[in-house]
Amino acid sequence: MNKIRTLIIDDEYLARQIISEYLGEDREIEVIGECDNGFEGFKQINELRPDLVFLDVMMPKLTGFEMLELVENPPIIIFSTAYDEYAIKAFEQNAIDYLLKPYTQERFITALNKAKTKLKSQTNSRATLEKIIGGSSEKEELSRIAVRLGTKIHIVGVNEIQYLEAQDDYVKLHTTEGSFLKQQTMKYYENNLSSEDFVRIHRSYIVRIKEISRVELMGKDTHVLLLQDETQLNVSRSGYSRLKEVLNF
């Protein structure tokens, strides 16, 4: 087997140094690069096509998860982070293991061996990760969403969103600055946007509560919602019940 081409993405110099030193003792590994932020990591993954990436979660400008959402056909990922609450999501992003800082060299080697096995057999890692985290994790509450526009990456602040609209396999994010298409599900946003700020009014719409102007009756048991800019959105029966609850009418 050829050497495993490995990339290290972490904003902490010391963390990159430790990973590099541990990898330097393994003859099967070739470290092809290091990056200190998600933007550079995205670029390096696309250009270098590594087999394995050691990836930090919380980094400035672009988190490890935001970066991975932009990568087509991501490589094997070992997350290396000080945060323990992202393990389930790490698996969903193709992670083979989840190293919690600070970790021992022995623990590091265990993770590395899993990656080698994965590369050879492409076995499923979910059971391992669930064992690591005890099968529980808090949901993530989104504060920003990374969207790729051609060769550029646009960061949409959640506080900029007026409403979200389902469009086949995509969700259109409507903001005051324009609309952005993101390959994701409405269920994902329903679960990960703050319920204090957003409410799902229809299978096709989630709206920002502050953007709601009024709700009008259009026919028997049929309602529409109007935003501050007079955009009109259909409201389902279950959506109307949720509106009554959050708006207290």
Side-chain angles (χ1 to χ4, degrees), residues 131-213:
K131 183 178 179 181
I132 292 170
I133 64 169
S136 64
S137 179
E138 296 180 0
K139 78 170 189 177
E140 173 192 18
E141 190 167 291
L142 295 172
S143 60
R144 58 188 188 181
I145 300 168
V147 182
R148 183 164 58 185
L149 299 173
T151 59
K152 298 180 180 179
I153 299 169
H154 193 94
I155 303 299
V156 178
V158 164
N159 57 4
E160 301 173 35
I161 296 174
Q162 296 172 297
Y163 69 100
L164 302 92
E165 179 181 10
Q167 292 203 347
D168 297 324
D169 295 331
Y170 291 81
V171 173
K172 180 176 281 188
L173 312 175
H174 294 270
T175 78
T176 53
E177 302 299 323
S179 300
F180 305 88
L181 269 181
K182 176 77 174 179
Q183 190 170 26
Q184 191 52 271
T185 65
M186 291 291 278
K187 188 65 178 178
Y188 170 81
Y189 288 120
E190 184 179 15
N191 289 339
N192 292 292
L193 288 172
S194 169
S195 59
E196 294 183 358
D197 295 326
F198 290 88
V199 58
R200 188 163 189 172
I201 62 167
H202 190 274
R203 60 184 173 82
S204 297
Y205 301 112
I206 296 172
V207 300
R208 186 175 184 82
I209 295 171
K210 288 184 178 178
E211 293 292 333
I212 297 173
S213 172

Side-chain angles (χ1 to χ4, degrees), residues 67-78:
M67 185 207 74
L68 278 181
E69 288 183 13
L70 303 171
V71 175
E72 295 179 1
N73 302 316
I76 299 298
I77 302 295
I78 294 177

Side-chain angles (χ1 to χ4, degrees), residues 26-238:
D26 194 315
R27 294 184 178 181
E28 295 182 77
I29 298 294
E30 177 187 4
V31 178
I32 59 174
E34 295 183 12
C35 309
D36 62 4
N37 64 77
F39 280 112
E40 185 64 20
F42 170 69
K43 180 181 176 182
Q44 291 293 298
I45 288 175
N46 284 336
E47 290 181 358
L48 301 176
R49 300 292 178 188
D51 303 306
L52 171 64
V53 171
F54 285 85
L55 179 62
D56 193 8
V57 173
M58 301 307 293
M59 295 182 288
K61 297 183 180 179
L62 202 63
T63 70
F65 290 122
E66 290 168 343
M67 185 207 74
L68 278 181
E69 288 183 13
L70 303 171
V71 175
E72 295 179 1
N73 302 316
I76 299 298
I77 302 295
I78 294 177
F79 277 94
S80 173
T81 175
Y83 301 87
D84 63 358
E85 61 265 41
Y86 301 112
I88 284 290
K89 185 171 182 179
F91 162 75
E92 294 170 349
Q93 296 287 349
N94 206 34
I96 187 67
D97 209 334
Y98 195 88
L99 291 172
L100 280 174
K101 301 174 183 175
Y103 46 78
T104 65
Q105 186 171 6
E106 182 181 11
R107 177 68 183 86
F108 179 89
I109 291 172
T110 298
L112 181 58
N113 286 337
K114 288 178 185 175
K116 291 179 180 178
T117 302
K118 176 77 173 182
L119 285 165
K120 293 173 182 176
S121 64
Q122 297 294 308
T123 54
N124 194 316
S125 65
R126 177 156 198 158
T128 303
L129 279 170
E130 288 181 341
K131 183 178 179 181
I132 292 170
I133 64 169
S136 64
S137 179
E138 296 180 0
K139 78 170 189 177
E140 173 192 18
E141 190 167 291
L142 295 172
S143 60
R144 58 188 188 181
I145 300 168
V147 182
R148 183 164 58 185
L149 299 173
T151 59
K152 298 180 180 179
I153 299 169
H154 193 94
I155 303 299
V156 178
V158 164
N159 57 4
E160 301 173 35
I161 296 174
Q162 296 172 297
Y163 69 100
L164 302 92
E165 179 181 10
Q167 292 203 347
D168 297 324
D169 295 331
Y170 291 81
V171 173
K172 180 176 281 188
L173 312 175
H174 294 270
T175 78
T176 53
E177 302 299 323
S179 300
F180 305 88
L181 269 181
K182 176 77 174 179
Q183 190 170 26
Q184 191 52 271
T185 65
M186 291 291 278
K187 188 65 178 178
Y188 170 81
Y189 288 120
E190 184 179 15
N191 289 339
N192 292 292
L193 288 172
S194 169
S195 59
E196 294 183 358
D197 295 326
F198 290 88
V199 58
R200 188 163 189 172
I201 62 167
H202 190 274
R203 60 184 173 82
S204 297
Y205 301 112
I206 296 172
V207 300
R208 186 175 184 82
I209 295 171
K210 288 184 178 178
E211 293 292 333
I212 297 173
S213 172
R214 61 190 183 275
V215 181
E216 295 184 353
L217 181 66
M218 294 296 288
K220 184 179 180 182
D221 296 329
T222 303
H223 296 83
V224 295
L225 180 146
L226 288 97
L227 302 182
Q228 301 289 348
D229 64 358
E230 296 297 306
T231 297
Q232 181 173 304
L233 305 174
N234 293 328
V235 180
S236 66
R237 288 187 178 182
S238 59

